[in-house]
């Protein structure tokens, strides 16, 4: 499904942002009841075309004075089409189990507080048609922190998407291509306070699982990179790769030897892959692929810095304009 803040060739299934909240963080207090974390808790906001979900792991505790029984809150779902809010509230102990309906009402009030002052507060709402979705999400995060007793720091963003058209990048005859229909699952570690994340997010690490990302060397397909990590500045670490072309004709370690030989041919590497163990060869292959991919990735980011509305990918990833120093 096309989203206004993304190019039409990206089909985004859903996106989530997670924070770690310290123990005893109070998110909402009403009368004698408090909605709080009992231990270090992961808070996860998930945005999909039809809903916003906030989930807690482990669950939040709704503390009540004895002998009333405490309750837990695992998650709340907000239906953008109808405006309905569905909290998952349950008893966790105590002698007198009353007030569950009131606790669910307070959970709904907590969700309403998150979306206040945003277009999400007025159903029916369609996030895919919101041209200022980045601004909308920033306001939700601001509302979250204003209601908590402790400021959140750092975040992990995760997304699942499918490409509607091929994307490719390269430097000379070397580069990469991700074919039409490829699926990508990415997890992004972002550094900073909530205010810093809003104004100038700094990505520290991106873990990418891709159904296919083909490395080209000398204009020839050499390897299909299925899992890799991108660090700030564009450094790449390859974790899973499958040989293509001539290298694929052999099996096991021999295929890695052939791939390694193809990648370093003429590169001045004084190593004989036939004399190295399979694990060493595999490590060298991955290093060589990472070196080959980095220039193409950096150039692609420079040419597509504004692919996400409201963000400059060069700043976010610490990749300078041509000729500059990496941040």
């Amino acid at each position: 499904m096309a989203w206004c803040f993304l190019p039409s060739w990206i089909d985004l299934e859903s996106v989530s942002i997670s924070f770690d909240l310290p123990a005893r963080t109070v998110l909402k207090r009403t009368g004698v009841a408090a909605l709080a974390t009992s231990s270090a808790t992961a808070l996860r906001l998930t945005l999909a075309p039809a809903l916003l979900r906030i989930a807690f792991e482990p669950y939040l505790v709704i503390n009540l004075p004895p002998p009333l029984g405490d309750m837990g809150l695992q998650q709340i779902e907000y239906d953008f089409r109808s405006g309905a809010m569905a909290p998952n509230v349950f008893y966790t102990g105590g002698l007198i189990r009353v007030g569950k309906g009131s606790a669910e009402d307070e959970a709904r009030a907590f969700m309403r507080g998150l979306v206040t002052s945003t277009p999400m507060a007025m159903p029916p709402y369609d996030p895919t048609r919101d041209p200022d979705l980045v601004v909308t999400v920033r306001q939700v995060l601001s509302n979250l922190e204003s209601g908590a007793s402790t400021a959140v720091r750092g975040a992990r963003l995760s997304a699942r998407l499918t490409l509607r058209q091929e994307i490719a990048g390269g430097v000379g005859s070397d580069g990469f291509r991700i074919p039409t229909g490829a699926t990508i699952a990415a997890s992004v570690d972002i550094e900073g306070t909530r205010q810093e994340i809003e104004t100038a997010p700094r990505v520290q690490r991106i873990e990418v699982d891709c159904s296919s990302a083909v490395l080209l060397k000398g204009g020839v397909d050499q390897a299909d990179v299925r899992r890799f990590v991108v660090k700030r500045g564009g450094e790449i670490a390859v974790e899973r790769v499958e040989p293509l072309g001539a290298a694929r004709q052999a099996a096991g370690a021999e295929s890695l030897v052939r791939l390694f030989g193809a990648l370093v041919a003429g590169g001045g590497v004084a190593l004989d892959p036939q004399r190295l163990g399979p694990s060493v060869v595999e490590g060298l292959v991955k290093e060589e692929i990472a070196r080959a991919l980095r220039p193409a990735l950096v150039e692609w980011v420079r040419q597509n810095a504004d692919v996400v509305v409201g963000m400059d990918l060069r700043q976010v990833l610490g990749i300078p304009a041509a000729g500059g120093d990496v941040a």
Side-chain angles (χ1 to χ4, degrees):
M1 180 176 293
W3 297 60
C4 285
F5 80 110
L6 292 173
S8 60
W9 46 268
I10 294 180
D11 185 355
L12 180 64
E13 177 182 324
S14 64
V15 60
S16 299
I17 186 166
S18 302
F19 298 96
D20 290 326
L21 297 176
R24 294 177 294 282
T25 298
V26 177
L27 294 175
K28 185 176 177 61
R29 191 182 295 278
T30 304
V32 297
L35 181 64
T37 62
S38 59
S39 59
T41 299
L43 179 156
R44 186 179 184 88
L45 281 166
T46 299
L47 178 66
L51 65 82
L52 175 67
R53 178 189 302 115
I54 182 169
F56 306 94
E57 184 61 43
Y59 58 81
L60 293 186
V61 175
I62 303 173
N63 295 121
L64 295 169
L68 300 179
D70 289 342
M71 285 174 274
L73 173 63
Q74 190 75 70
Q75 68 175 37
I76 315 167
E77 285 193 353
Y78 174 35
D79 188 323
F80 289 139
R81 296 161 299 187
S82 66
M85 297 182 182
N88 179 10
V89 175
F90 49 89
Y91 292 108
T92 61
L95 297 176
I96 302 176
R97 297 188 170 189
V98 297
K100 184 177 179 182
S102 297
E104 290 173 341
D105 288 341
E106 290 301 327
R108 293 186 185 96
F110 174 68
M111 176 64 88
R112 281 194 294 272
L114 287 185
V115 300
T116 190
S117 301
T118 75
M120 293 180 181
M122 296 173 287
Y125 166 75
D126 184 352
T128 69
R129 296 181 179 275
D130 186 348
D132 299 316
L133 185 61
V134 172
V135 176
T136 299
V137 172
R138 285 173 177 168
Q139 182 60 51
V140 171
L141 297 180
S142 179
N143 293 340
L144 170 66
E145 188 169 69
S146 65
S149 61
T150 301
V152 297
R153 283 192 62 88
R156 166 163 278 214
L157 184 72
S158 57
R160 297 184 62 86
L161 57 92
T162 301
L163 297 183
R164 292 187 172 187
Q165 69 182 46
E166 179 180 279
I167 65 172
V171 177
S173 60
D174 300 341
F176 73 93
R177 60 179 175 84
I178 303 179
T180 301
T183 57
I184 298 173
S187 296
V188 185
D189 290 333
I190 307 172
E191 182 185 67
T193 63
R194 191 266 303 165
Q195 293 90 341
E196 291 167 340
I197 291 170
E198 285 184 16
T199 57
R202 290 169 56 89
V203 167
Q204 297 303 313
R205 175 185 174 91
I206 307 174
E207 296 178 4
V208 181
D209 285 283
C210 185
S211 60
S212 179
V214 178
L215 169 70
L216 290 85
K217 191 76 173 174
V220 178
D221 293 353
Q222 296 283 4
D224 200 349
V225 183
R226 300 296 180 88
R227 179 175 173 82
F228 58 97
V229 175
V230 181
K231 298 178 182 179
R232 184 164 185 82
E235 294 296 332
I236 297 175
V238 174
E239 295 189 351
R240 181 185 169 201
V241 62
E242 295 183 6
L244 297 174
R248 195 174 185 177
Q249 302 305 312
E254 186 180 352
S255 68
L256 292 175
V257 167
R258 293 190 181 188
L259 175 57
F260 180 76
L263 288 174
V264 303
V269 179
L271 293 172
D272 180 359
Q274 297 287 355
R275 298 176 182 272
L276 301 175
S279 62
V280 176
V281 171
E282 182 178 6
L284 291 171
V285 167
K286 291 178 178 178
E287 289 177 10
E288 187 66 24
I289 290 174
R291 280 193 291 269
L293 278 175
R294 185 179 185 276
L297 173 65
V298 168
E299 187 60 28
W300 186 89
V301 170
R302 287 171 175 163
Q303 294 179 5
N304 298 272
D306 59 352
V307 67
V308 177
V309 175
M311 289 186 182
D312 184 330
L313 287 188
R314 293 170 301 182
Q315 180 184 29
V316 170
L317 294 172
I319 292 176
D325 295 326
V326 173

